[in-house]
Amino acid sequence: MTSPSRDINDLFDDIVLTEEKEARLGYEEGLKDGQEQGNEEGYKLGYAQGVSLGEELGKILGQVVAQQQLKHTDKVRRSLEQLRSLIEEFPRTNDPQADIVGAVQDIRSSHRRLRALLGSKKTPGAAPSEPPAVEHKDYSF
């Protein structure tokens, strides 16, 4: 018994559908591989930037805590408290709503103001001035 012959159009449809199916599968596989590689590269970049930022904030916090042990004017004490609060309130979780860039800018601005206040004092124990070529990375996107 012979199988019924198929229409030539059905054969062409099968070929086209097979090509489309393979193209779709290849696209999906490539997309998945690309996302995995991109995620890994993004993770490494984010981790390195996070470590650098953590070191910067830790250094500032250490300076603030040390300065809080010394006698200062009310204005300097308030500035120290404000800067410490900004650092302690800095986001420590992956919250997509957190404004990390804005928080870093606020901390850096407050730190600059504090350094200016302390630099104007000629008393022992004032914070040493920063090296002139301190460069802060821009963490904006």
Side-chain angles (χ1 to χ4, degrees):
M1 184 175 201
T2 63
S3 62
S5 64
R6 296 180 62 191
D7 182 13
I8 190 75
N9 290 327
D10 289 338
L11 291 173
F12 284 130
D13 285 345
D14 287 347
I15 292 170
V16 170
L17 291 175
T18 300
E19 285 180 26
E20 287 177 3
K21 178 182 173 188
E22 291 302 317
R24 184 176 40 75
L25 290 174
Y27 170 80
E28 289 171 0
E29 184 178 332
L31 181 63
K32 180 183 173 200
D33 289 347
Q35 286 175 333
E36 288 173 0
Q37 289 174 5
N39 285 342
E40 184 176 337
E41 290 174 21
Y43 175 83
K44 288 178 182 177
L45 175 64
Y47 185 85
Q49 295 294 323
V51 167
S52 176
L53 183 57
E55 289 174 353
E56 178 185 348
L57 297 181
K59 180 181 174 184
I60 294 170
L61 181 60
Q63 292 170 357
V64 167
V65 170
Q67 286 295 322
Q68 285 182 319
Q69 307 308 309
L70 305 173
K71 288 191 177 241
H72 291 290
T73 64
D74 287 344
K75 187 174 184 177
V76 171
R77 277 199 316 268
R78 282 191 306 271
S79 183
L80 287 164
E81 289 169 10
Q82 177 193 25
L83 181 53
R84 185 171 183 167
S85 292
L86 287 172
I87 294 172
E88 289 174 348
E89 294 167 5
F90 187 81
R92 288 173 169 75
T93 59
N94 282 334
D95 179 5
Q97 303 302 318
D99 181 14
I100 291 177
V101 174
V104 169
Q105 290 172 342
D106 291 345
I107 290 169
R108 287 177 179 159
S109 295
S110 183
H111 187 226
R112 279 192 300 275
R113 283 191 303 273
L114 176 63
R115 285 195 337 243
L117 283 172
L118 291 173
S120 66
K121 290 176 56 173
K122 299 296 181 193
T123 60
S129 62
E130 291 289 318
V134 172
E135 182 179 324
H136 295 290
K137 293 186 175 141
D138 181 14
Y139 295 98
S140 59
F141 299 98

